[in-house]
């Protein structure tokens, strides 16, 4: 099966005009093949454009659907051939308007494959021509631009890429301006609010740090016991009543658990002094 233009033209003619079911199915498969080289995709789209007058919306729905889903965003030549086919089909029936507009707006919003400058020029040329042919498509275009606005959590380059295309549409289609401006402002405010809110990881780290500070302020565990030697007072070797090493430990624990002021220290024991003898 050759990829020369004449062979492809003959294939399309047989599939559409002669009604050969096998050739028609083969043509649909070739258009849907994602591995097809850009040059062959361009030739297939160009051949369909030349025979667009023989295409019927219901009888050739599979073929036309595969053509509208063709990989036109990767090559300028394919994008230009895609534009010509879309214009021919939409001129025949408005039923092709929404699928075509959805394909273009979806390319504007793609987070993985941003359009090159040449492909972008071809895409906007398509939109201008189609909207001139079918002015009622403006409302459909605005609805699609609303629906395809990138999620606010996607990377900034995705939003910038989409906004550039939307602003470019507004530069040549003034009827979309009053419809799109309020929506764009709302979306930009949502993106700004999302950027102002700390991330979940940052919030968790801040909470952990605050919890650590509170832990540092907590008193020593009540079970902690300081061992102290018996306290001897006076030459007679007396001690505080009931306060040896164990008594001191118990007393410290009791004072720590008490909510009131600490009890007064017990009075020192009085040792008897030898009476003075008056001579």
């Amino acid at each position: 099966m050759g990829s020369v233009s004449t062979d492809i033209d003959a294939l399309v003619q047989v599939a559409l005009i002669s009604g050969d079911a096998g050739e028609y199915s083969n043509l649909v498969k070739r258009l849907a093949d994602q591995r097809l080289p850009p040059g062959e995709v361009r030739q297939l789209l160009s051949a369909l454009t030349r025979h667009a007058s023989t295409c019927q919306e219901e009888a050739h729905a599979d073929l036309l659907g595969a053509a509208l889903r063709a990989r036109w965003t990767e090559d300028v030549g394919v994008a230009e051939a895609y534009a010509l086919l879309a214009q021919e089909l939409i001129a025949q029936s408005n039923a092709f308007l929404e699928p075509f507009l959805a394909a273009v707006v979806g390319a504007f919003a793609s987070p993985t494959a941003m359009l090159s400058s040449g492909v972008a020029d071809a895409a906007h040329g398509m939109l201008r021509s189609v909207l001139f042919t079918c002015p009622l498509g403006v409302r459909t275009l605005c609805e699609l631009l609303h629906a395809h606005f990138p999620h606010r959590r996607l990377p900034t380059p995705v939003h910038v890429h989409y906004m550039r295309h939307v602003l470019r549409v507004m530069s040549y289609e003034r009827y979309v301006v009053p419809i799109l401006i309020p929506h764009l402002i709302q979306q930009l405010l949502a993106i700004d609010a999302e950027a102002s809110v700390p991330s979940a990881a940052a919030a968790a780290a801040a909470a952990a740090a605050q919890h650590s500070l509170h832990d540092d302020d907590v008193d020593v565990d009540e079970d902690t016991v300081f061992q102290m030697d018996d306290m001897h007072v006076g030459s007679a070797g007396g001690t505080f009543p009931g306060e040896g090493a164990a008594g001191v430990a118990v007393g410290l624990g009791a004072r720590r658990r008490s909510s009131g002021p600490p009890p007064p220290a017990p009075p020192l024991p009085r040792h008897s002094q030898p009476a003075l003898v008056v001579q």
Side-chain angles (χ1 to χ4, degrees):
M1 191 176 300
S3 60
V4 183
S5 178
T6 54
D7 294 338
I8 293 178
D9 228 28
L11 173 63
V12 172
Q13 185 174 0
V14 169
L16 293 179
I17 299 176
S18 302
D20 189 315
E23 291 297 333
Y24 177 80
S25 176
N26 181 36
L27 183 59
V28 173
K29 290 180 180 178
R30 290 182 68 178
L31 266 176
D33 187 359
Q34 297 298 313
R35 299 168 298 178
L36 204 64
E40 191 169 346
V41 176
R42 176 172 50 80
Q43 291 174 358
L44 283 169
L45 294 177
S46 299
L48 282 175
T49 303
R50 288 190 289 271
H51 296 281
S53 59
T54 62
C55 293
Q56 300 178 13
E57 180 182 344
E58 295 182 0
H60 304 125
D62 294 340
L63 178 62
L64 298 176
L68 289 173
R69 292 189 300 271
R71 295 181 294 111
W72 61 270
T73 61
E74 302 174 8
D75 183 84
V76 177
V78 177
E80 293 172 349
Y82 184 86
L84 293 175
L85 175 62
Q87 293 169 27
E88 288 291 332
L89 294 177
I90 292 171
Q92 293 183 37
S93 172
N94 289 340
F96 298 106
L97 178 64
E98 184 172 352
F100 163 73
L101 293 178
V104 176
V105 175
F108 292 163
S110 174
T112 56
M114 298 184 183
L115 301 181
S116 65
S117 59
V119 173
D121 291 342
H124 286 283
M126 282 190 271
L127 283 181
R128 294 186 69 170
S129 178
V130 167
L131 293 177
F132 179 80
T133 304
C134 185
L136 294 179
V138 170
R139 181 168 295 277
T140 303
L141 176 62
C142 290
E143 292 174 354
L144 289 169
L145 289 172
H146 285 186
H148 283 78
F149 198 97
H151 192 275
R152 60 183 180 273
R153 293 184 181 176
L154 286 174
T156 300
V158 177
H159 296 114
V160 173
H161 181 259
Y162 188 76
M163 286 295 299
R164 284 176 176 170
H165 287 296
V166 174
L167 293 174
R168 186 169 177 178
V169 171
M170 293 167 62
S171 70
Y172 58 76
E173 188 53 66
R174 60 187 179 88
Y175 295 106
V176 305
V177 174
I179 303 175
L180 292 180
I181 286 294
H183 177 72
L184 293 179
I185 293 175
Q186 181 181 6
Q187 293 295 331
L188 292 175
L189 289 175
I191 294 172
D192 181 69
E194 181 72 21
S196 302
V197 176
S199 64
Q210 187 70 14
H211 182 70
S212 177
L213 290 176
H214 285 305
D215 288 345
D216 292 342
D217 293 338
V218 175
D219 290 338
V220 181
D221 187 8
E222 293 182 358
D223 294 334
T224 303
V225 176
F226 296 95
Q227 298 295 335
M228 299 181 65
D229 295 334
D230 291 345
M231 299 179 65
H232 297 275
V233 180
S235 59
T239 62
F240 293 135
E243 290 196 5
V248 171
V250 174
L252 288 175
R255 293 191 190 97
R256 193 176 299 111
R257 288 189 295 270
S258 174
S259 59
L268 293 175
R270 296 182 178 180
H271 298 283
S272 60
Q273 298 293 333
L276 295 177
V277 179
V278 180
Q279 301 269 340

